[in-house]
Amino acid sequence: MHGIDIGRRLTIQEIDYLAGSNFGFVARYVDGSRGANPKCLNNDEVAAILSRRLAIVPVFETTGAGPWDFSTGLSHGRGARSDLIGLSMPLGFPVPFAVDEGAVSGGELEQYFNGVYEGLDGAYCAGVYGKYDVVKYCRENFPALGIFWQTYAWSGGGVYAPADVYQHANGVSLMRGQLVVDLNSAATPPRWRIA
C-alpha cells in the first residue's frame, strides 16, 4: 500500500486527489496541541480523510529532536493520548513517535519509550519513526511497539526489511506542484479507517 506524509493540513481538493490516485493512507502529525498547531491533525481533517476511505497514520512529533529521556517520553505520551482521544482515534491503535535527530543510544531509547508508555497510560500502543539504526534497535529490543516506520533519510542507504512502513522519497510534487509530500510504502496496511 502506498501513502504520503505531510507537515500541514490537507485541503478537500488534495484529499480527493489522493483518494483518486491509488494512495491508501495519509500520515499526519499530533503534538499535544489538540490541533491548535497548523502542522497537526484536527477533527475536520480527520473526518475528510476518513470519508474518502483513506487510512490515517498519526505520528507524534514536536521537534523531532531530543532529549530522549523518561520525562520527555512521559510528556510526549501524555500529549499524544490527549490529542488522539480528542480526535476519536480508536483505543489501542499504534502511533509512532518520531525520533528524528541526534545520535540516539539504546539506553536513551529505553528511557524515552518507558516514559511514552507511562504517558499513554494504556490508551494507545507506542511505535517508532526514525532512521535505520533506531528502527532496527527498537524492533529487536522493544517488540511490543506497535509500528516500526523507517525513513530513508539518515539511514545511509540501509533498508530495514522488517519495518512496517518505509518512507522512500521526500519533497515529491503532486497536483502540478500544488501538493508536496513525502512518499511511503506500507508492508502492513494502517488500520485507522472506516470499514
Side-chain angles (χ1 to χ4, degrees), residues 100-155:
D100 277 350
E101 297 178 20
V104 183
S105 71
E108 287 175 303
L109 289 170
E110 182 176 346
Q111 290 301 311
Y112 176 72
F113 280 106
N114 282 340
V116 166
Y117 278 118
E118 186 166 320
L120 288 173
D121 195 25
Y124 298 101
C125 181
V128 65
Y129 163 92
K131 60 186 177 177
Y132 177 93
D133 57 342
V134 167
V135 174
K136 182 176 187 293
Y137 182 88
C138 287
R139 179 81 161 77
E140 292 174 356
N141 292 279
F142 314 137
L145 291 178
I147 187 170
F148 301 88
W149 178 9
Q150 184 200 344
T151 176
Y152 79 98
W154 318 294
S155 290

Side-chain angles (χ1 to χ4, degrees), residues 7-189:
R8 67 162 176 81
R9 291 196 188 113
L10 293 163
T11 67
I12 296 295
Q13 293 78 17
E14 291 166 342
I15 295 167
D16 285 341
Y17 170 85
L18 294 169
S21 300
N22 295 318
F23 288 99
F25 67 93
V26 173
R28 292 284 292 107
Y29 292 95
V30 295
D31 69 354
S33 71
R34 298 295 299 262
N37 182 345
K39 173 183 175 176
C40 296
L41 274 167
N42 66 14
N43 286 294
D44 291 340
E45 187 182 16
V46 167
I49 293 168
L50 293 178
S51 73
R52 272 53 170 202
R53 305 190 64 74
L54 291 166
I56 299 173
V57 177
V59 57
F60 185 91
E61 181 183 75
T62 53
T63 65
W68 307 110
D69 56 23
F70 182 87
S71 63
T72 302
L74 179 64
S75 173
H76 288 179
R78 287 175 175 164
R81 184 179 191 278
S82 174
D83 280 2
L84 297 172
I85 287 173
L87 293 168
S88 300
M89 182 178 171
L91 295 175
F93 194 85
V95 54
F97 286 74
V99 179
D100 277 350
E101 297 178 20
V104 183
S105 71
E108 287 175 303
L109 289 170
E110 182 176 346
Q111 290 301 311
Y112 176 72
F113 280 106
N114 282 340
V116 166
Y117 278 118
E118 186 166 320
L120 288 173
D121 195 25
Y124 298 101
C125 181
V128 65
Y129 163 92
K131 60 186 177 177
Y132 177 93
D133 57 342
V134 167
V135 174
K136 182 176 187 293
Y137 182 88
C138 287
R139 179 81 161 77
E140 292 174 356
N141 292 279
F142 314 137
L145 291 178
I147 187 170
F148 301 88
W149 178 9
Q150 184 200 344
T151 176
Y152 79 98
W154 318 294
S155 290
V159 177
Y160 187 59
D164 299 301
V165 181
Y166 181 64
Q167 183 188 66
H168 55 85
N170 297 120
V172 175
S173 293
L174 305 174
M175 294 179 65
R176 299 181 183 178
Q178 296 174 34
L179 177 60
V180 179
V181 302
D182 299 338
L183 297 179
N184 298 267
S185 58
T188 306

